Amino acid sequence: MPAGAGPDSGVALASARGRWVLACAVLASGMALLDGTVVNVALPTLGRDLHTSLSSLQWVVNAYMLTLSALLLLGGALGDRVGRRRTLVVGVVWFAAASALCGVAQDAGTLIAARALQGIGGALLTPGSLALVRASYRPEDQARAVGAWSGLGGVAGAVGPFLGGWLIDGPGWRWIFLINVPLAALVLVAVRHVPESRDETAAKQRFDVPGACLAALFLAGISFSLIGASGDTSASGVVLPGVLGLAAGAAFLVVEHRRRHPMLPLELFRSRLFTAANVMTLCLYSAIGGILFMLPVQLQTTLGYDALQAGTATLPITILMLLLSASAGDLARRLGPRLPLVAGPSVAAAGVLLLLRVRPGAAYVTEVLPAVVVLGLGMSLFVAPLTATVLASVDAGRAGLASGVNNTAARIAQLLVVAGLPLAVGLSGTAYADPGALDSAFGKAAWGCAGLFVLAAVAAALFVRPRPADWHGDHGNAPQCKTCLGVESPPLEPGGRAGE
């Protein structure tokens, strides 16, 4: 039994120590959530203050996503092996130091390097905070603790765009990074009350360092190639990183296949549903990442919004997800995940197409607000059922690993779409500051992101089985039922009819 877990050593959620554990986990994950929601709003301001091109702004976003995506699974494994509390402390200190370096950066190159360092800290924070919650509480309190962690973390995500816009227009863009320093201090105060926990069986396994390095090289090579192709990089500067990236990707698959304890067990993908769910994740989070990368820039450059207005404009998306995600999870439990996984992306696609009306002179109430509301409704429908589908597609003992793989897939999708979307829509150099050029590129991006949402809906319709009510009845456990999801075949009665 992992240290710090179980009925003898678990913490009661209602106790003072239980509240400290929750506060620590929420503050730690909140740092990473805030960072993810405020940087896109700051891009036009960063471009003006640092006198930099679109490709540099892409790297401001992607340097963080690159190291985070490549090291996320390794960060989770490190916490299991050396201690979740210890790993969280290292991650908090690392993240705060890198954030401070971002805040004092005087040029784009320094900021990009600091963002890459920040991603390493994020790879320790992101899996560590939830693992700490699951390992610290008594079994009877774990579900409530995870729910409280998720809800309070969602509040941090909701506040992010508003807080980021206020900081950018007020004290300045540097404070979207510097604010992490006092937040980190609060985490370090709270973490003193958190019990240590680890997985004793993980100590026998070696870290998959070759896998992590090859994954990083793959993502870096592809990103360099895509971002370079949309800038003024030479042909060799585009082709060579792409070839090296693809070679690293192929080597990664070979290494993961041969290792005894790989970072990414490839046998997970023998499950057709697990593979389909991760393909859906790539499509959905590419669409989300693409539209939320372009929309704040469109609002500021083309419509003349300031940073606070642009950050506040997308707030309905997060509010709707906070209010409706639990209901969507209930719907999936009663009806099966297929309906929300088809309807959600379809509604989100409609919301993105409504954003085509966000052009010069567009009013917020009549053009912007309806689009972000519809987009938020669609996202609220599919996020919880997608997670449930991923977890149900593998054995219960591998649910944590499956969740980590899926989380990594979402990060990689956002990384690649930020790298490739400007190239796809013909936006490069300083064209992001030209309202006419940006408006044309934004329209193309909206069509592309809507297409990705539709592709995910089609995948759900083809590969996620609806709950067959004629033989399974209303058992109320559809998202966890492997038969309802299509992982297993329904049992047959002696006469050949599907039974209970």
Side-chain angles (χ1 to χ4, degrees):
M1 181 178 293
D8 296 328
S9 57
V11 176
L13 180 60
S15 67
R17 195 177 194 187
R19 290 191 289 270
W20 276 112
V21 172
L22 184 61
C24 176
V26 169
L27 286 169
S29 61
M31 289 170 59
L33 280 170
L34 280 171
D35 190 81
T37 56
V38 301
V39 172
N40 286 359
V41 178
L43 292 177
T45 305
L46 288 171
R48 288 193 300 269
D49 283 7
L50 299 179
H51 308 290
T52 191
S53 65
L54 177 62
S55 60
S56 293
L57 295 180
Q58 289 172 270
W59 275 116
V60 169
V61 177
N62 272 3
Y64 175 81
M65 296 301 301
L66 174 62
T67 50
L68 177 64
S69 303
L71 301 176
L72 198 58
L73 292 175
L74 199 61
L78 183 67
D80 290 341
R81 182 170 182 174
V82 306
R84 299 176 181 110
R85 179 182 181 273
R86 182 182 302 173
T87 303
L88 187 74
V89 169
V90 173
V92 167
V93 173
W94 187 297
F95 194 87
S99 297
L101 186 56
C102 290
V104 299
Q106 299 299 311
D107 56 67
T110 303
L111 179 58
I112 291 167
R115 287 282 286 163
L117 291 173
Q118 207 181 18
I120 298 174
L124 300 176
L125 281 180
T126 303
S129 59
L130 179 57
L132 206 63
V133 169
R134 297 187 65 177
S136 298
Y137 290 101
R138 301 179 306 180
E140 59 266 33
D141 285 340
Q142 285 182 11
R144 287 171 53 223
V146 170
W149 172 84
S150 178
L152 292 171
V155 171
V159 169
F162 177 84
L163 178 62
W166 178 78
L167 289 172
I168 294 161
D169 288 338
W173 65 263
R174 297 181 185 279
W175 280 94
I176 67 174
F177 301 112
L178 295 176
I179 195 173
N180 289 324
V181 177
L183 286 176
L186 291 175
V187 176
L188 294 178
V189 170
V191 81
R192 295 182 303 166
H193 304 272
V194 176
E196 182 60 283
S197 63
R198 61 177 58 84
D199 183 353
E200 300 298 342
T201 62
K204 303 174 184 178
Q205 302 175 8
R206 293 183 177 180
F207 290 121
D208 187 7
V209 175
C213 292
L214 288 169
L217 288 172
F218 164 68
L219 296 173
I222 298 300
S223 296
F224 268 105
S225 183
L226 291 173
I227 292 174
S230 63
D232 54 4
T233 307
S234 65
S236 60
V238 171
V239 174
L240 184 59
V243 171
L244 291 176
L246 291 174
F252 172 79
L253 294 177
V254 172
V255 167
E256 297 305 281
H257 177 69
R258 292 180 176 178
R259 283 187 70 87
R260 185 175 180 182
H261 299 293
M263 182 175 72
L264 177 62
L266 298 181
E267 64 266 20
L268 286 174
F269 293 95
R270 293 174 184 169
S271 164
R272 186 182 68 171
L273 183 62
F274 182 79
T275 302
N278 280 283
V279 169
M280 285 187 281
T281 298
L282 289 171
C283 293
L284 292 171
Y285 282 89
S286 291
I288 294 170
I291 203 64
L292 294 184
F293 175 71
M294 295 290 292
L295 181 58
V297 184
Q298 171 78 347
L299 292 174
Q300 292 177 73
T301 300
T302 306
L303 274 69
Y305 284 28
D306 59 28
L308 178 58
Q309 291 171 324
T312 307
T314 59
L315 201 55
I317 296 175
T318 312
I319 292 173
L320 285 168
M321 291 186 68
L322 280 174
L323 294 176
L324 301 179
S325 288
S327 298
D330 267 350
L331 179 68
R333 186 177 65 247
R334 288 185 283 109
L335 302 179
R338 182 178 179 179
L339 177 60
L341 287 178
V342 172
S346 301
V347 172
V352 172
L353 292 179
L354 285 175
L355 286 172
L356 291 169
R357 303 189 303 158
V358 180
R359 308 195 65 184
Y364 179 74
V365 173
T366 55
E367 276 83 30
V368 182
L369 182 60
V372 296
V373 166
V374 174
L375 177 58
L377 286 171
M379 290 170 61
S380 301
L381 279 173
F382 68 70
V383 169
L386 180 63
T387 301
T389 301
V390 169
L391 295 180
S393 65
V394 298
D395 294 334
R398 311 193 86 174
L401 177 61
S403 177
V405 171
N406 188 246
N407 194 0
T408 302
R411 307 283 182 172
I412 290 173
Q414 293 171 312
L415 166 75
L416 295 180
V417 77
V418 171
L421 188 59
L423 173 64
V425 300
L427 196 65
S428 62
T430 58
Y432 68 91
D434 179 351
L438 180 63
D439 185 51
S440 174
F442 179 77
K444 297 174 185 176
W447 279 107
C449 292
L452 287 169
F453 277 127
V454 170
L455 189 59
V458 171
L462 292 175
F463 296 107
V464 179
R465 179 179 294 176
R467 191 182 62 178
D470 61 326
W471 53 264
H472 224 192
D474 187 8
H475 57 55
N477 197 36
Q480 287 77 38
C481 175
K482 297 184 183 301
T483 309
C484 287
L485 287 164
V487 180
E488 297 173 354
S489 300
L492 296 179
E493 293 179 348
R497 178 180 175 272
E500 290 289 337

